[in-house]
Structure formats: C-alpha cells, structure tokens
Amino acid sequence: MNVVLIVEDEMLEQEFLRSVVLEELSSDDTLLTCESGVDAVKLAKQYRPNIIIMDVMIPELDGLSAIEEIRKFLSNACIIVLSACSDFSYAQKAIRLRIFEYLLKPVKPIVFKQTFCKMLDSAAECHVLVDEKNAEPKECRQYFIEESVKYIKENFREKLTLQMVASKAFINPKYFSHVFKKEMGVAFSEYVINLKIKYACRLLETTNYPAYRISIECGFSDPSYFNRVFCAQMNITPQSYRKYAYASNRKD
C-alpha cells in the first residue's frame, strides 16, 4: 500500500499532478494533498507517506526546508522536487536531502508520469527490503511506536486489533508486533489489556456502575470474560476490589 503526498499551492498544477498520480495508484493506495510546507510536515507525521511530490516555492515553509524536517522521521520516503527555479544551489541542497528526482517546471505530463512510475517501482522495492530485513532505522521505529501508543491510549476502550493499529502506522502487522514488544517490553495484546484493567480499577473506585457496565466501558463484550481477566491481572474480583477501595477511602 502506497501513501502519496502532493504539496503544491497552485491549484491547476495540483490538479494536474493528482490526475496523473491517480491513474497509477490502486484502490488500496492513499493520496493526500496540501498547499504549504507546514501542512506537509504535519501530514507526513500523521500519515507517513512513502512517496512525496514537493513544490519548492510554497507558503509558510519552503519545499526544501519542509523536506529537511520530514527527513528527520521519514528517512526512506521517495521524494520528487518540482521547481520553477534552475538555480544550482537549490539542486545541490535537494541532492543532499536524497531526493529521487529534481524536475523543472513546467513539467511535461509524459515526463512526470514516467518519473512517478519509477518512484512506485522504487517504493515497492523498499517495502520488500523492509519486510525481509526488519531494518527500519531506530528513530523511525521509535516514532511509529510513540504514535501507535498514543492511538492505543485514545482508543483502547473500542474493539482494537493489532492489524488496525499497524495499518495506522502503515506497517506490516507481523513486523509491528515484533517491534512493539521489543520497544515496549510487552506484547500488544497484554499492553491493551493492562490499559483496560487500569481503567476498570478507576471506574470501580469512582463510580457505582455495576460490573457489566464497567466491562462495556472498558471495551469487553463479555462481562464474564472481563471478570476472568480482572482476576488474573489483579488477583481479586472486581466486587472485592471495589469494597477494598471503598474501605481504604473511608480510612483516608
């Protein structure tokens, strides 16, 4: 699955780029667009595109500066730079940022299409290498784990699966599971269960909700399963935990 980001503030030019890119993408791919360097960095952090098409002269933060920021957390993204300026210093900086191609505007449709197809081929090769070697740089692993943990903490009360979280980080589920356990020290499922039980304890301490409602609030569809998991984690039943918490609070 490819995630393509087009950064272009001229609407006609952006529409031209979109039309060419959409012809080559599959239904599983994602296409994002924005008009400024600041938005480009934000979208890159959120969606982690593997292909970026970046204009140089854009508002708020120029294209090369935006790429410099993006490279801090997306070292392997395949990037095309589009520029109306033939100044060699721009090209030099682009080369240092390891861009895939530097195209001068106006770009002929056939040239852009050929270049984009080459990018797709290159991105596919990169996916294979990552899956085979699990060799993503440490800083990238840390970034997608941080983002994944944030997403889990916001959604653990829902029906959350490893596949769902991995897809948010655009990572192979098997590789995600391996890296998550390595970085967090616990398996994904155990981490989610711990959050659910911690939240259940808080509800038992602060509400009069019956156990079946607490199980629902914590994302368990079966109250009896909730009881079993709670007992396994806390070595005490939810009802006994509530009595103990209530007694402790009265003493305080």
Side-chain angles (χ1 to χ4, degrees), residues 169-182:
F170 304 107
I171 300 295
N172 176 278
K174 186 176 181 180
Y175 178 45
F176 175 83
S177 177
H178 169 75
V179 175
F180 188 93
K181 187 171 184 179
K182 182 178 179 181

Side-chain angles (χ1 to χ4, degrees), residues 143-250:
Y143 177 79
F144 81 67
I145 287 296
E146 289 171 1
E147 291 299 302
S148 297
V149 167
K150 180 181 176 182
Y151 179 78
I152 293 167
K153 286 181 176 179
E154 292 173 349
N155 297 277
F156 71 89
R157 287 172 287 176
E158 308 296 330
K159 186 177 180 181
L160 200 62
T161 66
L162 184 146
Q163 287 76 15
M164 289 168 60
V165 181
S167 69
K168 288 287 181 181
F170 304 107
I171 300 295
N172 176 278
K174 186 176 181 180
Y175 178 45
F176 175 83
S177 177
H178 169 75
V179 175
F180 188 93
K181 187 171 184 179
K182 182 178 179 181
E183 295 290 330
M184 301 300 295
V186 294
F188 168 83
S189 58
E190 185 178 351
Y191 184 82
V192 174
I193 287 294
N194 289 341
L195 288 177
K196 289 178 182 289
I197 297 303
K198 185 177 180 180
Y199 186 61
C201 289
R202 188 166 30 150
L203 292 177
L204 288 166
E205 294 167 8
T206 59
T207 74
N208 293 319
Y209 294 164
Y212 77 86
R213 178 170 176 181
I214 289 178
S215 70
I216 294 171
E217 292 284 342
C218 296
F220 293 94
S221 57
D222 183 354
S224 62
Y225 177 64
F226 162 67
N227 282 331
R228 292 198 301 272
V229 173
F230 191 96
C231 290
Q233 291 285 106
M234 304 299 294
N235 292 318
I236 191 172
T237 66
Q239 293 81 0
S240 297
Y241 182 89
R242 171 172 273 160
K243 291 178 182 178
Y244 175 79
Y246 179 74
S248 298
N249 288 335
R250 289 194 65 182

